[in-house]
Structure formats: structure tokens, C-alpha cells
Amino acid sequence: MPASSIDFSAIEQAAARIDGRAHVTPVLRSRSIDALVGAELWFKCENLQRVGAFKFRGACNAVWSLPESLARNGVVTHSSGNHGAALALAAQTRGIPAHVVVPEGAVRSKVEAIEAYGAIVHRCAPSIIAREQAAESVRQTTGASLVHPYTDPAVIAGQGTVAREFLAETGPLDVLIAPVGGGGLICGTAIASAAISPGTRVLAAEPSGAADTWQSLRNGARVGPFVPATICDGLRTLVGEINFAILSAQGVEVLTVDDAETIAAMRLIWQRLKLVVEPSAAIVLAAILKHRERFAGLRIGLILSGGNVDLDALPWQEPARP
């Protein structure tokens, strides 16, 4: 699937392809959070998706898009966690091998999930260059098809099914916000929203310690490699080239959030919605709370992207005493 074909028809095809394989996730409300913001908020719970994240949608679409001649050799990707687990499970549903290149320092619980779903894990240094080089080496050795975490058109189309499903339940929204790391989810969200509810303003939430998308859109050109400094491990990636082009064309605005604000929002979601979400998901509520005066009285959709958090190291816990 060429990049130029990432349109709403591709999202519709992805929805049909993953139907029965991916969950239709619930949409929840909280009156107390509405009162805090002064607006009506809808939460799309992709933390309740298979593998605990929206990533399964894109991975599943990519795996089942492959012709049999390619699929039999398996798939390969590089991932710090959620996409790797998603691709491993998607490959399992088709009965093909999966290889996942994991950088050193990845969240332990996420690596364990990748292994539990049957993928072969390959370790590499914690840099995007090392990840890409290792994935390419595996691809050449095994003949596996590369399923990139966020630039693969089939992955972007699959992620777009979140917004398609969301808007079908809520109807038109004033604002729809999703996290941004590499850009797969927010790109799919923007494309789907433009087709279904063109009056909806699409926003992206990004950590201030990894704000390359914000800087790239402000400068009108994609910035180079950077060293991320954020608790949001799923959002430490440089926005993809294809993704930057889509976000620019769709006029997506990025709101940056400090980690302290994200942690406070994460705790609020756990307390009020009774949902386990990870920082990379909670950042969307943090962004709305930070700018609540801007959103007063609006209908707002928030995509909670995942719930794979290390329960032994919650960000508001004090370190264990000796």
C-alpha cells in the first residue's frame, strides 16, 4: 500500500479486515472530570484493546494485508513495547513468525508481553539508528516483511479505525485529541475525522521533553534526531516523515505537556474512571486540563491509547525503603 493511498477508504478496508480480530473498545464518561474541565468529555478506552493498546489495530491490519507469499516468511519490527506485542499477537493470529527488535532500557513488562505472545526478541542499543539497522539485518536474514511501528501505511490505516469507531458512537465532536510519538495514531485519527466529522478540531498531545512534532510543525520542517526526556515511554520517538506530511496537510495542532502534569492526569483517570492507563495515554487529559479555559463548554473526545504500565514502579509511588 503506497503512502498516497492512506485515505478514508483505506481505513474502511482496515475496519473490515480487523473486524472480529480487534475489540470494539468502550467509550466512558466521568461527571466529576467534566466538572473539572467545564466541558463534556468522552474517553475512548484503547487501554482495553487486545495487548492493552491501540497498536493491535494497525499491526493486525498490516499482518492480514500481506499476500501469502510474503506472510509465510513472517514479520519484523522494532519497538519499545506496545507495537512489538501487537505485532507478535497479530502474527500469532495468522500463524506466522514475528521478530521484534527491542532497545535496551525498554519497560520490562512490555518486553515480557512481546515474549509471551511468541515473538523472537532481538536486543539493540537504545537509539533509532540502532533499532532500524537491527530490524533491517533481521529482515535480510529471515526474509520477513518489515511492519514499521508508525510509517507503514497499513498501520496508519489500522490506527484510523479508532476514530472511525469513536465518532460512530459519539457523533460529531468539537475536539478530538490523541497522543503523538511517531505519529501513526494521530495521523489515522486526523484522516478519519476529516472524512466523518470535518468540523472536529484534531489535536495532538506531546511530552515537552520529547516535543519534536510540535517543533517540526512550528518550523515547517521535520527536525532531526533528539534525546527524549519523558516518562511517556511510548512517545519518545521522532515523528515519521510520512506522518509529518499528513499532520501538516491536516492542520493538526500539538499541545505540549510536562511529565508532572501527565502523572497527575494519570492518577486522576485511575481514581475517577477506575481505568489502568499508562502515561502515554493520560497525556491527552493532561493537555485538556492544562488548557481548560480554551475547551470550556465543548464536546471533547480523548483517545486513551494504552494501559501497559509497570505496576511495580508507578510514578506516584515512593521508592521502597530498605
Side-chain angles (χ1 to χ4, degrees):
M1 183 190 296
S4 60
S5 66
I6 312 174
D7 56 18
F8 188 62
S9 66
I11 293 173
E12 292 275 68
Q13 292 165 18
R17 195 173 285 120
I18 70 175
D19 184 34
R21 298 187 174 102
H23 294 325
V24 175
T25 53
V27 175
L28 299 185
R29 303 286 311 279
S30 169
R31 292 180 181 178
S32 62
I33 296 179
D34 283 0
L36 278 176
V37 178
E40 297 179 7
L41 276 60
W42 279 259
F43 295 88
K44 180 63 167 167
C45 301
E46 285 297 295
N47 58 309
L48 301 179
Q49 184 54 261
R50 297 184 73 176
V51 310
F54 75 95
K55 293 282 192 177
F56 181 71
R57 295 173 182 266
C60 187
N61 187 48
V63 163
W64 284 95
S65 296
L66 290 172
E68 181 57 33
S69 59
L70 294 177
R72 67 169 64 101
N73 293 326
V75 287
V76 60
T77 194
H78 56 80
S79 169
S80 61
N82 286 343
H83 175 69
L87 190 66
L89 178 57
Q92 186 184 99
T93 68
R94 193 165 178 180
I96 62 176
H99 301 266
V100 180
V101 172
V102 176
E104 297 293 342
V107 175
R108 184 183 63 186
S109 59
K110 294 186 177 182
V111 179
E112 290 174 349
I114 293 171
E115 294 173 330
Y117 287 120
I120 301 167
V121 171
H122 307 262
R123 295 283 187 170
C124 73
S127 72
I128 189 62
I129 294 176
R131 288 165 57 153
E132 291 176 346
Q133 289 177 341
E136 176 60 17
S137 176
V138 172
R139 188 192 68 79
Q140 291 184 5
T141 301
T142 65
S145 296
L146 177 67
V147 179
H148 194 277
Y150 47 87
T151 65
D152 188 312
V155 168
I156 295 172
Q159 317 307 25
T161 65
V162 179
R164 175 186 179 274
E165 198 174 279
F166 198 178
L167 291 166
E169 180 164 346
T170 64
L173 296 167
D174 296 309
V175 174
L176 184 53
I177 185 168
V180 62
L185 175 61
I186 190 62
C187 286
T189 298
I191 293 167
S193 180
I196 300 170
S197 181
T200 298
R201 180 73 168 139
V202 177
L203 303 175
E206 186 171 45
S208 56
D212 64 293
T213 307
W214 175 81
Q215 185 178 347
S216 296
L217 291 172
R218 185 186 65 170
N219 295 348
R222 187 164 162 262
V223 300
F226 70 106
V227 178
T230 176
I231 194 172
C232 301
D233 63 284
L235 307 180
R236 293 171 180 163
T237 309
L238 182 68
V239 67
E241 186 174 350
I242 291 173
N243 311 84
F244 172 69
I246 292 172
L247 296 179
S248 298
Q250 294 288 341
V252 174
E253 179 185 355
V254 178
L255 301 179
T256 61
V257 182
D258 293 338
D259 277 358
E261 296 165 325
T262 294
I263 293 169
M266 178 178 167
R267 184 164 185 160
L268 183 63
I269 291 170
W270 283 47
Q271 290 175 327
R272 304 294 175 85
L273 287 170
K274 312 305 179 188
L275 289 173
V276 174
V277 297
E278 59 191 276
S280 298
I283 194 172
V284 292
L285 178 58
I288 296 298
L289 287 168
K290 183 176 183 177
H291 301 279
R292 69 187 73 187
E293 71 288 342
R294 174 177 172 180
F295 300 111
L298 300 183
R299 288 166 49 88
I300 305 168
L302 300 89
I303 297 177
L304 298 178
S305 54
N308 294 314
V309 63
D310 186 352
L311 295 177
D312 293 326
L314 297 179
W316 54 76
Q317 288 179 333
E318 294 183 5
R321 295 180 179 179

